[in-house]
Amino acid sequence: MEVLRRTNEAMMILPRPFYRRNTVKVAKELLGKILVRRLGAIELEGVIVETEAYRGSDDPASHAYRGLTRRNEVMFGEPGHAYIYFTYGMHYCLNVTAERIGHPGAVLIRAAQPIGGIERMKKHRRTDRVVDLANGPAKLTQAFDITHALNGHDLTAGQKVFIVENREPQALEIKSTGRIGIVFGKEKPWRFYIRDNPFVSNR
DNA sequence: CTAAAGATGTCCT
DNA sequence: GGACATCTTTAGA
């Protein structure tokens, strides 16, 4: 039973070529996919409902704008890995890398609709309100227990964190706006979210 | 070496 | 709508 489940899952894990494309396209197409965090025997799952694309020297809002540093090196590496950074002295944010090796790109996962392991997420977040579990980039990492320890993790390996196709794909109405919480590059419409979805961040 | 800002969340008024 | 928590990274002296 368990073996079968994992086999099916393995076939649905988003493959490397999905990520080896234009970051903006990857950001858009990640909407509706399912983020999975395996914690021992249990799995936390959520439908990705909000993302933002960050690129390189053409994107002043990106950590990679001024080139390679120790913090952003994952953004320059193989697509399909987790880029996790620590900010404001207390929060982690999860990105997935895109583009070819040597070309920086990352998609910030800003919000998810919890569909599995919800009781565990409530403990992590210290709230019972499901809409507040992962409706923001740092809330999401808290709900899914994602920290700096997972920086660089291969998201195509089906281990601690990965992303799978939606078993029940639906036609999504996608909206785009400027990105949130940045100073430069506000004019680029690189934030994407599912229209009318109540699990999108409020700001 | 020092300083300032930061891809945020929470609590307060 | 605004203060503030809290600390790493980066830029600049």
Side-chain angles (χ1 to χ4, degrees):
Chain A
M1 190 62 170
E2 184 62 19
V3 173
L4 256 183
R5 186 168 193 282
R6 292 195 178 190
T7 301
N8 291 335
E9 202 165 63
M11 290 172 10
M12 305 205 309
I13 290 176
L14 298 185
R16 191 82 60 207
F18 176 91
Y19 299 102
R20 194 186 293 117
R21 298 182 295 158
N22 183 301
T23 312
V24 175
K25 195 164 201 167
V26 174
K28 223 179 291 183
E29 296 190 16
L30 276 171
L31 294 177
K33 303 294 190 287
I34 299 174
L35 174 67
V36 183
R37 168 78 165 113
R38 189 169 281 155
L39 283 178
I42 77 163
E43 280 178 356
L44 309 180
E45 297 181 302
V47 179
I48 296 170
V49 299
E50 181 181 355
T51 61
E52 282 179 358
Y54 288 88
R55 290 168 44 97
S57 54
D58 62 338
D59 181 8
S62 173
H63 290 167
Y65 182 55
R66 293 166 203 278
L68 185 84
T69 65
R70 192 149 69 241
R71 175 174 68 163
N72 68 25
E73 63 183 353
V74 178
M75 286 183 72
F76 290 78
E78 189 175 50
H81 287 250
Y83 167 48
I84 297 160
Y85 65 87
F86 184 63
T87 191
Y88 292 106
M90 61 191 94
H91 300 304
Y92 295 100
C93 291
L94 169 68
N95 298 250
V96 307
T97 59
E99 308 282 347
R100 298 184 165 272
I101 293 176
H103 299 261
V107 177
L108 174 66
I109 309 297
R110 285 192 58 89
Q113 172 171 356
I115 56 170
I118 292 177
E119 293 311 307
R120 181 67 173 268
M121 292 189 197
K122 288 178 178 174
K123 286 185 184 166
H124 291 161
R125 289 276 303 128
R126 299 173 190 277
T127 178
D128 286 334
R129 298 200 57 209
V130 179
V131 294
D132 283 332
L133 292 178
N135 61 338
K139 296 181 187 177
L140 183 148
T141 56
Q142 196 181 3
F144 282 79
D145 190 31
I146 290 167
T147 70
H148 187 67
L150 291 169
N151 189 39
H153 190 79
D154 185 355
L155 297 170
T156 67
Q159 302 194 329
K160 297 177 177 179
V161 199
F162 48 94
I163 300 174
V164 299
E165 281 291 347
N166 198 319
R167 291 164 277 246
E168 298 151 15
Q170 302 155 20
L172 301 178
E173 228 186 302
I174 297 175
K175 293 216 62 171
S176 69
T177 69
R179 293 166 293 178
I180 292 176
I182 59 171
V183 177
F184 301 104
K186 275 179 150 63
E187 73 290 348
K188 295 183 191 296
W190 288 355
R191 168 176 178 249
F192 302 99
Y193 63 94
I194 298 175
R195 183 183 166 185
D196 295 332
N197 186 291
F199 297 86
V200 168
S201 68
N202 342 286
R203 258 172 192 268

